[in-house]
Amino acid sequence: MKINIEIPKELEQELSQEASQINLSLSDYVIHLLLTRKVLNETPKTGKDLIAYWQQEGLINCRSDIKNSQEYARQIRYEAEHRNEI
């Protein structure tokens, strides 16, 4: 679908600048903004809502390479605490 709209020049410049900062064309950036509006309007209100959102976005169980999440968290913490020692 193709839609043509007239927007103020200042807004076009602002959107173009934002798009270039994340290496998107202006049209791709506008599509990105339109797709993310749902997330902004429907922010999770409870922990249950947040979990449902994460599941919907495929974030839960997306790291099948991590077998023990607590051990993985300890490893990350240890590496962060000792990163300046190397």
Side-chain angles (χ1 to χ4, degrees), residues 7-66:
I7 60 173
K9 192 68 173 170
E10 300 81 25
L11 180 56
E12 179 186 357
Q13 291 172 344
E14 183 180 328
L15 291 173
S16 292
Q17 184 179 18
E18 291 173 12
S20 68
Q21 289 174 349
I22 57 173
N23 297 320
L24 289 177
S25 67
L26 178 56
S27 60
D28 286 343
Y29 183 60
V30 170
I31 290 169
H32 169 76
L33 290 175
L34 292 171
L35 289 171
T36 58
R37 79 187 187 293
K38 181 179 178 186
V39 174
L40 296 175
N41 291 333
E42 298 175 7
T43 55
K45 306 283 189 274
T46 66
K48 182 179 178 181
D49 293 344
L50 184 58
I51 297 295
Y53 171 73
W54 286 344
Q55 286 175 326
Q56 173 188 328
E57 295 300 314
L59 297 173
I60 294 188
N61 295 325
C62 67
R63 294 288 308 267
S64 59
D65 59 313
I66 300 173

